[in-house]
Amino acid sequence: MASEVEETLKRIEGQRGVVGTVVCNADGIPIRSSLDGVATAQYARLLRKLTVMAKSAVRDIDPQNDLTFLRLRSQKCEIMVGLENEFLVIVIQNLHQ
Amino acid sequence: MQDAFFCRGSNETVLFVQDKEDGMEHGDEWDEWSHGKTLTKPPDQLELTEAELNETFTRILTATNPHAPQNIVRYSFKKRSYKPISAVDQMAVHFVLEGNLLYKDSDEARRQMAKQEVEEEDRPDSAASKTGKKEQKLTNQINFCERASQTLNNPPRERNCQTEPPPRCNFSAIANQWEIYDAYVEELQKQEKNKEKQKAIPSKKDDEDDDRGKKKMILMETQTQSDDLCKMAKATKILERMVNQNIYGDLAIDFKYYEDCSDEFREQEGTLLPLWKFQCDKAKKLTVTALCWNKKYQDLFAAGMGSYDFSKQGRGVLVFYTLKNSSFPEYIYPTNCGIMCLDIHEQVSYLVAVGFYDGCVAVYNLKEDGQQPVYQSTAKTGKHTDPVWQVRWQNDDMDGNHNFYSVSSDGRVVSWTLVKINHLFLVGTQEGKIHKCFKTYSSQYLETYDAHTLAVDAVKWNHFHPKVFISCSSDWTVKIWDHTINTPMFTFELYAAVGDVAWAPYSSTVFAAVTVNGKVHIFDLNVNKYEAICQQQVVAKKTKLTHIEFNLVHPLIIVGDDQGYITSFKLSPNLRKQPKMKKGEELPKGPEVEIAKMEKLLSLLREPEASAV
C-alpha cells in the first residue's frame, strides 16, 4: 500500500508543471518532500496554519462536516492540499504552459 | 525676721544679715562675726578695677527653657524633606507629684463616699454634719475620666519563607461550534461504552463479542499508527486527478461544453473532436483488442491489450482508465497471454470477464487486491483450444449465479457459470458465416447467414430493436440484418478491412465502424441510408484501429489502435440528432421511439424484398 502511494506521488511529481509535493503528519512535520529543506518547512508551516483555519471555519458552520481538500489558485501557480486522517498532502503546480 | 539677699554685683560675696528685732541680743555674736571678719581672698580671684567693679550688668529673665532644644526637625511627607518645627515646647518640669485628690462628683468619689458612709454609720455625728452641708453642685455633663495603661509590647519579629512558585503555563482555547460538538460526541461515546460494559456483565456471550470488537479496535489502531503513507492513498489519488485536471483542463471543458458550430452549415455530416489520449507504459507496443465501458461508473472503461498477429504472441494487459485521469490507469492487470475480448458485468460492475488468445477465460474482481483473476479456466474445466473472440455476461440465472458465454474459433460456444435463460445469441465465424442459436438447443444452429466473404470481426445486437443486428468483416463491408430475414437489410462498403462496429446507445439508427486505415465511420440511417455522416482519420495511416465503443451517457467514443493507444473523441451535435417533432408535441423518449424508427426504415426495405444496397 505504501509503495502504491509512493508511486502515485512520483507520477504526480513527473506531471507537467508540478513543482513538488510535501507530505506532513498530524503534528505538521514534513515526512516526505520533493523540495529542498527551506521550501519544505515553509510550505508545511504556512499551509498547516491555513488548513487548520479552513477546517475550523467549515466545522464551525456545521460540526458534522469536515474539510477534505483545499485548492489555492494564484497568478503563477496552484497549491492543492489534501487532508486525510490528520495528514496533509501538498502539491504545487505551475499553471501557464 | 531676717532678710537676706545676695548681691552679686561685686567681687566679694558678702552676706548681709539685717537683724531688726533681736539685733542687740545677738550683738555679741555678730560683733564677733563682724570683728572676726577679715577679707580673705581666694587665690584665683580676679583683680578688677573700681570702674569695672561698678559696672552693671543687666540680666533678662525669660520664660524659655534653656535646656529645650532649639532646632528640632521633623520629616514632612508632604514636602519629602526634613522641616524644622515652628514652636518648640519650652515647658520645664521641675517637680511632679501625683495627687490623690478626687473630684467630689465623679463616679470614683461617689463610690468611695458611699463606702465611707457605710463605715461611718457608727459615728453618726460626722455623717450628719456632712449630709447637712450638701450643696447643690454644678454637674459637668462631659463626665469622663481618661484612663490608660501601658501593656508590655512584645517586640515584633518578621518571619517569612519563600517557596518555589508552582509551574505555570498559559492556556487559551476558543469555544467554537465544533469544539462543543466534539465534546458532546465524546461524552456520548463514554456513556455508550459504560452502557455496554454494564450489559456485558450479565451475559457471557456478549463478553466474547466485546472482546473481539475490542481486539479489532486495537488492531485497527496499531495499524493506523504504524503505516504512515498508506493513509494518504485516497487523497493522493484525488490529487493526481486534480493535477491532471489542471493540465488537461481545456479538454475537460471541451468534453462538457464544446459543440461544433460548423455543423449548422453542413447538412448531414458531422465531425469528431479529439479529446484525451490514454496510454500506459506497460501497454506499449500492444494492440488494443477489446474495449468496454462500465455501465455503473460511466467515466470508467476497460481496455484489453494483446496482439492479433499470430506470430507475435506474448504477454497482455488489462487496464482500466477513467476520464478523470488520462495519464495513468486506475487498475492494471498484467497477463501472461494476450487478451482478445472482455466484458464488464452490467449490474455487478466490478466483475470483468476476459478471453485470452490461448483459449482461457478469466474473471477479475476489481474490488479485490492482487493482480490474479478470481477465476481462470484450465484445460480440465474446459478451456478453448483456440483464441476466444467474444465473451458476454448474461443475467444472473435463477439461483442468482453470475454466468457468461465465450465464443472461440475452435467452434465452441461455452457457457460459464460462476457457481451456475432462453436466450438467443449469434456467433460470427472465421469463414464469414453467422450462426444463430438458442441457448437451450446447444447442438444445432437455428439459422446460418452467409454474411461475409472473409472472417466476421464483430456481431452486435441493436440496443433497441430486438430483431436487428449488425456485422462487420475484413471483406471491407458492414451489414445490417433482421434476424428473420436471410439477407442483409443494409450493406456499406468501407474500402478497408473493418475492425469493429458498435451501435450507439442513444439511437437505434446510429452506428460507428473503425477500419484498419485509421478511419472512423459514423452512420445514421435516419439521416442518410447510403453514406456515412462522418468519416474521419483519427490516427496515422499506418496505425490500425482495432476497436470502438460508445459511452453510455456522455457523447464520447473511445477508439483503440494497435500501438497501445486509446483515444477518446467527442461527438458533434449532428451525430447525435434526435428526430425532430412538430412544435407543440412532446418529444417522446424511450426505446419505443427508437424501435419505431428502425421499424419504419426496415419496412421500406422489406416490400421490395430484394437486398437493399
Side-chain angles (χ1 to χ4, degrees), chain B residues 40-79:
Chain B
T40 52
K41 286 189 184 173
D44 56 344
Q45 188 165 43
L46 284 171
E47 296 286 329
L48 290 172
T49 62
E50 283 290 322
E52 281 174 1
L53 283 171
N54 290 329
E55 208 178 324
T56 54
F57 291 91
T58 45
R59 294 268 182 238
I60 302 168
L61 297 173
T62 57
T64 57
N65 183 0
H67 295 294
Q70 281 160 345
N71 53 353
I72 299 180
V73 286
R74 286 267 140 82
Y75 186 76
S76 159
F77 284 97
K78 189 171 161 190
K79 292 193 182 162

Side-chain angles (χ1 to χ4, degrees), chain B residues 538-552:
Chain B
V538 295
V539 287
K541 272 208 174 151
K542 282 190 223 160
T543 325
K544 295 181 198 167
L545 290 175
T546 49
H547 276 280
I548 182 168
E549 280 290 335
F550 281 86
N551 185 312
L552 300 158

Side-chain angles (χ1 to χ4, degrees), chain B residues 548-575:
Chain B
I548 182 168
E549 280 290 335
F550 281 86
N551 185 312
L552 300 158
V553 169
H554 304 296
L556 202 69
I557 53 168
I558 42 172
V559 177
D561 59 24
D562 68 346
Q563 295 295 320
Y565 288 106
I566 303 156
T567 322
S568 56
F569 294 91
K570 184 167 183 183
L571 300 164
S572 67
N574 270 355
L575 301 171

Side-chain angles (χ1 to χ4, degrees), chain B residues 595-608:
Chain B
I595 297 173
K597 226 182 6 174
M598 198 66 196
E599 196 54 45
K600 212 170 76 177
L601 276 170
L602 295 174
S603 59
L604 292 170
L605 301 164
R606 273 192 217 121
E607 275 141 32

Side-chain angles (χ1 to χ4, degrees), chain B residues 10-23:
Chain B
S10 62
N11 290 343
E12 298 164 1
T13 311
V14 178
L15 176 67
F16 288 102
V17 175
Q18 259 184 349
D19 192 7
K20 289 173 187 174
E21 294 177 48
D22 303 329

